[in-house]
Amino acid sequence: MGFYHLFWGFLFLFDFQINGFDILPDVIGYLLFYVGLAKLNRRSEHFLKAGNTAAVLLGLSALALVLSLLPGGSAVIGIPLNLVILLLNLYMVFHICHGIGALASRRGLYQFQNRAIERWRWYLLLIPALFVVLLIAVLLPAAALILGLVLIVASFVINVLMMLLMREAEHHLRR
């Protein structure tokens, strides 16, 4: 259907780096999102909006990848670019979760609809938590290290839960 592409797309959003090289490049994840959402876009306006956003994210993440490979990758461009990618990613995930919720609602799967919206809220909570950790890092570096580790674990768990939501959506929302 398309949800399996989204499942694998979320996998590629994990940041696993070896010697500064991301072994799961976001650009591949956004390509998978684009392909999966193209298969789903007739089923909900949310998937159409998420697919258009995935196309933009594909280009921006390719640019970010190229910048990261350049010697001394420019922070002047890289930081604002990554902020834009973060915000567009939130917009895309919002529409993915609400698209799943809309499909579930049409089928009377209200518990599954609520689960999709709840997963979106968890995903969204990572952003303010990140900013809190960054603020604490300035004041209390030792506490920020501990909170940073907690945030990494929470991010991993929430990404896995998003992947599981995509797998469940493939099962529950087949035509």
Side-chain angles (χ1 to χ4, degrees):
M1 182 188 284
F3 291 111
Y4 280 128
H5 288 88
L6 303 184
F7 173 93
W8 292 109
F10 276 106
L11 176 69
F12 276 88
L13 294 186
F14 285 121
D15 280 327
F16 289 122
Q17 295 192 6
I18 297 175
N19 292 328
F21 180 75
D22 189 357
I23 61 172
L24 297 172
D26 292 353
V27 69
I28 294 173
Y30 290 122
L31 177 61
L32 289 165
F33 279 114
Y34 179 76
V35 170
L37 291 162
K39 292 180 177 188
L40 295 166
N41 68 10
R42 292 188 189 139
R43 301 191 67 199
S44 169
E45 184 74 21
H46 286 291
F47 295 133
L48 180 62
K49 289 177 182 178
N52 291 338
T53 306
V56 173
L57 283 164
L58 180 58
L60 292 176
S61 64
L63 177 60
L65 179 63
V66 169
L67 286 174
S68 74
L69 296 175
L70 295 175
S74 175
V76 173
I77 297 171
I79 292 172
L81 178 62
N82 284 320
L83 183 59
V84 169
I85 289 171
L86 173 72
L87 294 173
L88 287 174
N89 178 277
L90 286 173
Y91 181 80
M92 180 186 72
V93 173
F94 169 86
H95 283 292
I96 289 171
C97 290
H98 280 78
I100 291 170
L103 291 180
S105 175
R106 281 187 229 148
R107 293 185 178 208
L109 301 170
Y110 302 113
Q111 217 173 8
F112 188 59
Q113 174 191 17
N114 291 336
R115 186 176 314 134
I117 303 308
E118 181 180 72
R119 298 276 169 91
W120 154 247
R121 290 181 186 137
W122 292 352
Y123 195 84
L124 178 63
L125 281 175
L126 288 174
I127 303 312
L130 173 66
F131 285 112
V132 167
V133 169
L134 291 174
L135 289 173
I136 290 174
V138 174
L139 303 171
L140 302 166
L145 177 64
I146 294 167
L147 291 173
L149 291 173
V150 169
L151 186 60
I152 289 169
V153 171
S155 176
F156 179 80
V157 168
I158 290 170
N159 242 11
V160 168
L161 289 172
M162 294 302 286
M163 292 172 69
L164 293 173
L165 180 68
M166 298 309 115
R167 191 180 75 185
E168 291 175 74
E170 183 72 32
H171 174 73
H172 291 302
L173 304 176
R174 286 193 185 133
R175 289 193 171 160

